[in-house]
């Protein structure tokens, strides 16, 4: 039987195995009869999903004869009466000190940040539900836990719960198996603010989705706040039912993009201050430019750099930063396969009909300033050049270049003319 159970564990989806196979007890009644016991929910599920026949077939392959597999509902022990459960106290959920104050805001996350802050100040009144989405490591969980902390501070009387979709699913299945589904529902419906992380884990879990749907409706109808986070927008959640998707989209859907270089530098400056270490600005810029992933990887890379420098009893240097980035990224920062800075200069000059001398000069004529700033932006984003290197081309310091890049990043979101100009130049560079 052990071999059959191991085969089922590796071949069944985790949720299916945990719900219907792992919880079974078994005993041999006769040499050719295997008795399997479980709750009514488990027995019905085994029959519905063909698990009984599957076990019988696998046993026959092992034993070389056809055994009888019998399913039986195990008698249920009656638990002692308990008081009506309520949501777990907020203190049970470690927040790792995530707050809105230590969340670095930039163009990539500003909408999500402002929405989460508004929700924490007025739960159930604005942006209900709030759905945050973005790639792993961009700060979704930080915002959920910051919301949790802020609700606790501003509304200590409210029941609040942070959990992952996996937690919700496991608690739901455990309640079904133990015959305590009513208690589970009372507990969930007593929550005032529900923060549900990693909702992509709901994909393909029909029963869990159905239970969450009813929980959503009950909380929403009572004016309770719901906040969800996932690694993709609702419409890209394959295997999630239409009515659940419509609930996710019924409030505000806010994306969190990978942080811009400017935002990355601010994050590293905050970590440098928190660690109390000496790290030159040029090294922070190098990390922000060459660590291509989200906030989590960026912070981890900086922490590794600090640790290596400490263990070697040497100052943080650009050479050491190169070594650490190589160990994290997998190879040394590659040379850009995109256009050169000279090609970008030519493309911008051609598009705006200006000369290189004018573009690189000091003129403050508005159309030249705009062209110059777009050129700096493209060198940063397309050529992956550091702000210091760009400043060397234009004979300006890195703070001036930083201002120009950040300005164009913001205008790309709000000014259609700027967005059109940048896209047109990019297309010209790709030809």
């Amino acid at each position: 039987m052990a071999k059959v159970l191991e085969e089922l564990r590796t071949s069944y989806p985790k949720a299916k195995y945990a719900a219907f196979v792992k919880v079974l007890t078994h005993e041999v009644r006769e040499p050719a009869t295997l008795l399997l016991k479980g709750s009514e929910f488990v027995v019905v599920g085994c029959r519905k999903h063909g698990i009984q026949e599957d076990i019988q077939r696998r046993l026959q392959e092992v034993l070389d004869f056809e055994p009888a597999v019998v399913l039986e509902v195990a008698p249920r022990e009656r638990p002692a009466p308990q008081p009506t459960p309520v949501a777990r106290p907020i203190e049970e959920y470690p927040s790792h000190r995530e707050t809105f104050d230590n969340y670095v805001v930039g163009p990539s996350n500003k909408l999500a940040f402002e929405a989460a802050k508004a929700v924490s100040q007025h739960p159930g009144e604005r942006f209900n539900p709030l759905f945050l989405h973005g790639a792993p490591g961009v700060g979704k969980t930080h915002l959920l836990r910051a919301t949790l902390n802020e609700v606790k501070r501003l509304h200590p009387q409210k029941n609040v719960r942070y959990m992952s979709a996996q937690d919700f699913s496991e608690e739901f299945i455990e309640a079904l198996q133990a015959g305590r589904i009513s208690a589970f529902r009372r507990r969930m419906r007593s929550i005032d603010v529900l923060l549900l992380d990693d909702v992509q884990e709901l994909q393909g879990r029909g029963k869990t989705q159905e239970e969450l749907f009813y929980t959503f409706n009950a909380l929403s109808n009572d004016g309770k706040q719901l906040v969800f986070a996932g690694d993709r927008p609702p419409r890209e959640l394959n295997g999630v039912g239409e009515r659940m998707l419509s609930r996710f989209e019924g409030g505000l859907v806010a994306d969190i993009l990978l942080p811009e270089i400017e935002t990355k530098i601010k994050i590293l400056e905050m970590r440098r201050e928190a660690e109390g270490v000496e790290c030159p600005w040029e090294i922070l810029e190098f990390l922000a430019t060459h660590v291509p992933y989200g906030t989590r990887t960026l912070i981890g890379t900086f922490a590794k750099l600090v640790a290596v420098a400490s263990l070697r009893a040497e100052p943080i240097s650009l050479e050491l930063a190169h070594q650490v980035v190589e160990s994290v990224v997998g190879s040394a920062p590659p040379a850009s396969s995109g256009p050169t800075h000279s090609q970008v200069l030519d493309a911008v000059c051609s598009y705006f009909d200006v000369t290189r001398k004018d573009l690189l000069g000091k003129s403050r004529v508005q159309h030249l300033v705009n062209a110059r700033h777009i050129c700096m932006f493209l060198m940063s984003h397309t050529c992956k050049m550091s702000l210091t290197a760009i400043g060397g081309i234009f004979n300006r310091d890195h703070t001036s270049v930083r201002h120009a890049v950040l300005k164009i990043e913001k205008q790309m979101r709000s000014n259609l003319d700027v967005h059109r100009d940048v896209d047109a130049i990019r297309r010209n560079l790709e030809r």
Side-chain angles (χ1 to χ4, degrees):
M1 184 61 184
K3 181 178 180 181
V4 171
L5 290 176
E6 178 60 21
E7 288 179 358
L8 294 176
R9 186 185 68 81
T10 56
S11 61
Y12 281 9
K14 288 183 179 179
K16 182 178 179 180
Y17 178 81
F20 302 113
V21 180
K22 186 178 180 181
V23 293
L24 287 170
T25 61
H26 63 276
E27 59 179 277
V28 178
R29 282 286 177 88
E30 299 173 6
T33 302
L34 178 68
L35 177 63
L36 302 175
K37 290 185 177 183
S39 68
E40 183 178 0
F41 167 79
V42 171
V43 170
V44 171
C46 284
R47 289 172 178 156
K48 178 181 178 181
H49 295 289
I51 295 173
Q52 181 180 10
E53 292 81 1
D54 197 10
I55 291 176
Q56 187 171 26
R57 178 182 59 78
R58 292 173 188 265
L59 278 173
Q60 184 177 354
E61 293 174 356
V62 173
L63 300 174
D64 291 329
F65 65 86
E66 185 175 354
V69 177
V70 179
L71 277 173
E72 185 177 292
V73 177
R76 191 171 69 202
E77 296 182 5
R78 292 185 175 275
Q82 296 180 350
T84 301
V86 296
R88 300 178 188 178
I90 190 172
E91 288 77 14
E92 290 188 20
Y93 302 98
S95 65
H96 306 293
R97 298 181 299 277
E98 287 103 335
T99 67
F100 290 124
D101 289 338
N102 59 24
Y103 188 84
V104 178
V105 184
S108 58
N109 58 27
K110 185 174 178 59
L111 175 61
F113 173 83
E114 295 295 346
K117 199 167 185 180
V119 160
S120 66
Q121 293 168 347
H122 306 284
E125 297 180 19
R126 299 188 64 192
F127 312 131
N128 196 20
L130 172 61
F131 191 103
L132 308 177
H133 67 90
V138 295
K140 302 183 298 294
T141 298
H142 187 133
L143 277 183
L144 289 189
R145 289 176 171 163
T147 302
L148 179 149
N149 283 333
E150 192 72 354
V151 171
K152 177 184 176 182
R153 185 180 72 84
L154 297 176
H155 311 280
Q157 78 284 2
K158 289 188 178 295
N159 289 327
V160 60
R161 181 82 191 270
Y162 166 85
M163 64 193 309
S164 69
Q166 180 70 26
D167 294 333
F168 182 91
S169 181
E170 290 177 356
E171 290 187 23
F172 168 59
I173 291 172
E174 288 173 6
L176 279 175
Q177 294 170 351
R180 299 195 185 98
I181 190 62
S182 295
F184 170 80
R185 287 170 177 165
R186 288 197 300 272
R187 184 169 69 247
M188 295 306 299
R189 284 151 177 73
S190 72
I191 294 172
D192 294 308
V193 180
L194 176 60
L195 306 155
L196 195 67
D197 208 349
D198 295 324
V199 296
Q200 68 274 3
E201 296 295 333
L202 294 170
Q203 295 179 115
R205 299 183 177 186
K207 289 291 186 182
T208 299
Q209 290 178 36
E210 184 177 4
E211 186 62 30
L212 179 60
F213 174 78
Y214 292 130
T215 299
F216 183 108
N217 287 346
L219 295 179
S220 181
N221 290 340
D222 287 342
K224 309 296 182 63
Q225 178 69 51
L226 297 107
V227 182
F228 302 99
D231 65 2
R232 67 203 72 174
R235 285 292 154 186
E236 293 181 16
L237 291 170
N238 299 321
V240 174
E242 177 62 33
R243 62 180 185 174
M244 197 68 250
L245 294 178
S246 68
R247 294 301 187 275
F248 287 154
E249 295 176 327
L252 175 65
V253 177
D255 61 342
I256 303 177
L257 305 176
L258 289 173
E260 310 82 4
I261 291 178
E262 169 70 14
T263 304
K264 285 183 174 182
I265 292 174
K266 289 181 181 177
I267 292 169
L268 291 171
E269 286 175 336
M270 180 178 287
R271 295 309 307 160
R272 178 179 63 181
E273 182 178 347
E275 296 282 349
V277 296
E278 292 290 333
C279 184
W281 189 92
E282 290 74 16
I283 295 177
L284 300 185
E285 183 195 23
F286 172 80
L287 294 176
T289 304
H290 290 95
V291 177
Y293 311 116
T295 303
R296 190 181 302 143
T297 304
L298 181 69
I299 293 175
T301 304
F302 180 76
K304 183 174 183 178
L305 176 61
V306 172
V308 171
S310 176
L311 290 171
R312 294 184 182 178
E314 63 181 65
I316 296 175
S317 64
L318 191 57
E319 180 182 359
L320 184 59
H322 268 276
Q323 296 173 11
V324 170
V325 169
E326 181 176 351
S327 70
V328 172
V329 176
S331 61
S336 173
S337 59
T340 65
H341 75 271
S342 182
Q343 290 172 324
V344 170
L345 280 170
D346 288 341
V348 172
C349 288
S350 174
Y351 184 81
F352 289 104
D353 194 21
V354 298
T355 65
R356 274 202 182 199
K357 181 179 179 181
D358 289 334
L359 196 63
L360 298 174
K362 301 290 186 180
S363 172
R364 301 302 300 169
V365 176
Q366 190 59 47
H367 79 277
L368 286 176
V369 171
N370 290 340
R372 190 177 299 132
H373 287 176
I374 287 176
C375 191
M376 292 178 178
F377 170 85
L378 289 169
M379 287 181 179
S380 174
H381 283 255
T382 306
C383 303
K384 305 300 181 184
M385 294 175 62
S386 71
L387 303 183
T388 302
I390 298 171
I393 295 172
F394 286 87
N395 194 26
R396 287 163 174 79
D397 60 28
H398 70 264
T399 56
S400 298
V401 179
R402 183 196 304 186
H403 168 76
V405 172
L406 185 59
K407 172 187 169 184
I408 299 302
E409 285 175 351
K410 290 179 179 178
Q411 289 183 346
M412 284 281 287
R413 293 174 175 270
S414 59
N415 189 317
L416 291 178
D417 289 336
V418 173
H419 196 288
R420 179 202 62 204
D421 292 340
V422 172
D423 277 353
I425 297 171
R426 279 174 168 164
R427 286 194 297 271
N428 291 339
L429 286 167
E430 292 171 358
R431 292 174 183 170

